[in-house]
Amino acid sequence: MSRPPQPEAGPAHRLLADRLAAALARPVAQQPDWPDPERAQAVVAALSRAEPLVTPAETARLAERLAAVAHGEAFLLQGGDCAEAFAENTEAHQRANLGLLTDMAAVLARRAGRPVVTVARMAGQYAKPRSRPLDARGLPVYRGDLVNSIEPTPAARTPDPSRMLRARADAADAMAVVRDFRTGTRARPDDDGELYVSHEALVLDYERTSLRADLGGPEPRLASGLAHFLWVGERTRDPDGAHIALAELLSNPIGLKLGPRTTPEQALAYVRRLDPHGEPGRLTLISRMGHTRVRAVLPAIVEKVTASGHQVIWSCDPMHGNTYTSAGGHKTRALQHIADEVSGFFEVHRRLGTHPGGLHVELTGDDVTECLGGPRGLTEADLPARYRTACDPRLNAEQSMELATTVAELAAAGATDREVRLR
Ligand code: PEP
Ligand code: MN
């Protein structure tokens, strides 16, 4: 049955506008301190008039695919740069990242015998949460190209709201590359040929600019036109803060990063708020515990959430809990630790009978030397050669493929266990 057209200022729209204003009025972490707030507001107004980057039909299709992941029938692969950078927004870089993701998806699908839902960290991943406000030089820290420049001068590090316009234009260009790439790969038998985009919903002056009422779900919500999937990061998941309140309002599928200090009770409280209607796959819990802690911390969280009956997606980010600084001063990660966290994640879910449904990774198809190990056995001495990331260290193509093979084997072993149990 089709609904009559909704008047733009109907009660549901007013309710949503009020709820959005209340969400944005909450305490908010990790926001740029724009030196000229009037200019920032003018940019927000301009962005609010821009065309959305994704369509409601695409986002609805992703929600359906994620329901299949939550039911244990498919696997979620999410990955891309830690931070997209304007200078790296070339078609070659984007195609290299998309090509790597689809190659990984093909290995996973073939070996684990399940479809893979592929979600790029792309077309909006321009803002970064930071642990400290100042860098080692005492300058305001780089917060991503959406906010300031990585160049270490006071002027370059001053937040500039015009950067949000550039980010939106570059995101539109990236989205065009994604659509073109998707058309070229639709014939592959091992996936459904669809590619989705995602980023961390961090800078709220950017995120608030493409929200439209979505009255098609279990309650009136706001659909973001900036990405198919948005997630809330480890540093902005204050239950009283604006980011969680905004995520509650979104109709897009959403993710939430969970670090090693998360308690089972906290996890359950997030799940109740972010998935109040029990929609399978609406919420992806992305654990990033570190390889030494995942086996100890994750089980109680999984048990508590599973007992509540909510069908979340359990995804593993084996990157952010395994970062350290090399002797030469490079932020790095060892593939061995990354693979060990994924193994621990699979062990936990295998033991509890839950579906280890997803992998969330920072990677690039470019031939960088940012993480250690892999087929060429990169060591700390190799890092300076091609260390190019604007933020966190990424797996290169061969390291990513090695990880995909490891994950595919873990997933295939799990599938066999289940078949044996069912017989
Ligand atoms: C990230 O995904 O780049 C990130 C900052 O992760 P987290 O919020 O888990 O630290
Ligand atoms: Mn990162």
Side-chain angles (χ1 to χ4, degrees), residues 82 128 320 362 392:
C82 173
K128 298 312 300 173
H320 289 89
E362 290 182 340
D392 288 338

Side-chain angles (χ1 to χ4, degrees), residues 210-232:
S210 192
L211 300 172
R212 56 160 195 92
D214 179 352
L215 307 183
E219 66 174 313
R221 283 183 176 144
L222 294 167
S224 171
L226 294 178
H228 302 110
F229 179 105
L230 291 160
W231 77 87
V232 177

Side-chain angles (χ1 to χ4, degrees), residues 82 121 128-129 200 231 233-235 257 288 320 362:
C82 173
R121 283 174 65 119
K128 298 312 300 173
E200 178 176 349
W231 77 87
E234 169 72 359
R235 291 166 192 76
K257 295 284 199 91
R288 28 89 83 223
H320 289 89
E362 290 182 340

